[in-house]
Amino acid sequence: MINILWVDDEIDLLKPHILFLEKKNYDVTICTSGTEAIEILDKQNFDIVFLDENMPGLTGLETLNEIKEKQDNLPVVMITKSEEEYIMEEAIGNKIADYLIKPVNPNQILLSLKKNLDHSRLVSEKTTSNYQQEFRKIAMDMAMVNSFEDWVSLYQKLIYWEIQLEDIEDAGMFEILESQKTEANIQFGKFIDKNYANWFKPNTEAPIMSHTLFKEKVVPEISKEQPTLFVVIDNLRYDQWKAFEPVINNYYKKEKEEAFFSILPTATQYARNAIFSGLMPSDMEKLFPKYWKNDTDEGGKNLFEAEFLETQIKRLGLTNLNYEYHKITNLKLGKRLVDNFKALKNNDLTVIVYNFVDMLSHAKTEMEVVKELASNDKAYRSLTLSWFKNSPLLEIIQKAQHMGFKLILTTDHGTINVKNPSKVIGDKETSLNLRYKTGRSLTYDSKDVFVAKDPGEIHLPAINMSSSYIFAKGDLFFAYPNNFNHYVSYYRNTFQHGGVSLEEMIIPLVIFQPK
């Protein structure tokens, strides 16, 4: 039974309401002052309190403060004759559960009870029911998808339902969604097999991709009238963006949200260099050999993003563009940029690459504590949100909003939780990534991979004349036959990137104006 404490100095006038609730099987305890209410709460547990704002002695707001000091999580519904704004603000500031204006009718009271006490159950039941209806539609859509726009739409729908279902206690529904995501990735792999190489042919309709993103989507947003902050968060999946979108919405108003496609391999050295250079990897290797490194070359693979950006800006004829590039790879650098952010106000464009999510995914592979904290997609989202809310990046965004910057937020590629091994054999020169391989004489299971026998066809550099590329599909990861079981147990259920999946390839670009 639900126990209600109702505090009102005119409680006798509320008898019809109390009788109505008792007929609905609620147990109602009454009292006529704030002081009495505090004494009762010290002796007895309640599920919710209805509290009159205007009482002699201890006022409603004073009573509310005392209740919250003792039982911060106890829902309190404030009931008042007054519509004065300061009273509403005080009550809301003290985390009231609801605010009702007298005279209230019994159904208003009942609605408030349902909203506060049955909310989780009602939402859970309705969400489950809605997804059950949507399940058939998604299944039918999946059979009909034949364009990159359709795949973006379908993937966004799957993410929407994944986030809706994550808080309900119906494991069966979540398993159904997971199986639907798996099936979607199987079909998406077939779509990439059939269409990816064509996207690079002249006069063929293609999505915005890593190498066209800056020119097509960022440059049109830059102006001399308003500074622009362009933030590239490494390795950010679409669902992770959705997890912290509400935080950014406190400071910025979303103007546009689009998805674009990461190039293959969905790996930082390929996709992020492509964003900043405006070129595909084979062109980077040919035109800028001193900046480009292949998989088997020694040294860092993303050391020249600033130089690549400079060459693209010159190529686009943006000679009067006043811009700066910053890469944040640790907390100290992030805090330093926060402290010096005011110095950026005269830039037309400030570019920030923020490395954290990629480090998080690699840490999950190597550290047991992170494996516990990010054991699945839901936990991975939660961990990303926790990082973002406490990061210098959020402080940078707050400062940018205060200074009137336009904000453009994106990433280089996503990541996928790998579950199943696929055997591969290659020579000593074969690249090491778990989701793609490049080298000579690769032996693999053809059904598990997207193959580029001629790397030039998809604008990738060949390490030698007979090199090919293979990309793992879905949630697969490559494993060598030697020491197979140890290798598989170590890497299974880790977040990897480089291959073909919705999670890695379809990624967000969001444009905001400051509030």
Side-chain angles (χ1 to χ4, degrees), residues 419-423 448 475-479 484 487-488 492:
K419 306 280 178 62
N420 300 300
S422 177
K423 284 185 180 175
D448 293 346
D475 62 6
L476 298 169
F477 62 100
F478 292 128
F484 183 78
Y487 193 84
V488 167
R492 178 177 272 139

Side-chain angles (χ1 to χ4, degrees), residues 273-288:
N273 278 330
I275 289 173
F276 289 117
S277 68
L279 300 169
M280 284 297 288
S282 58
D283 297 316
M284 284 184 258
E285 183 196 42
K286 186 167 66 181
L287 297 172
F288 301 102

Side-chain angles (χ1 to χ4, degrees), residues 6 11-23 106:
W6 200 323
I11 200 76
D12 290 344
L13 302 176
L14 298 168
K15 282 273 172 67
H17 296 65
I18 291 160
L19 287 169
F20 172 80
L21 290 175
E22 287 175 342
K23 281 180 183 172

Side-chain angles (χ1 to χ4, degrees), residues 437-449:
K437 298 287 180 191
T438 178
R440 290 175 298 191
S441 310
L442 294 170
T443 304
Y444 49 85
D445 187 334
S446 58
K447 75 178 188 315
D448 293 346
V449 302

Side-chain angles (χ1 to χ4, degrees), residues 381-438:
R381 280 193 295 275
S382 176
L383 201 55
T384 309
L385 173 60
S386 179
W387 158 72
F388 181 72
K389 285 165 78 173
N390 297 285
S391 71
L393 178 56
L394 179 55
E395 292 181 70
I396 289 165
I397 288 169
Q398 289 166 336
K399 282 183 178 281
Q401 180 257 338
H402 185 68
M403 290 163 62
F405 277 70
K406 179 183 285 189
L407 173 64
I408 303 175
L409 188 97
T410 192
T411 185
D412 45 10
H413 55 78
T415 185
I416 187 165
N417 195 358
V418 295
K419 306 280 178 62
N420 300 300
S422 177
K423 284 185 180 175
V424 66
I425 300 170
D427 62 22
K428 287 180 182 177
E429 295 296 306
T430 302
S431 60
L432 299 174
N433 190 286
L434 296 181
R435 291 279 293 160
Y436 75 93
K437 298 287 180 191
T438 178

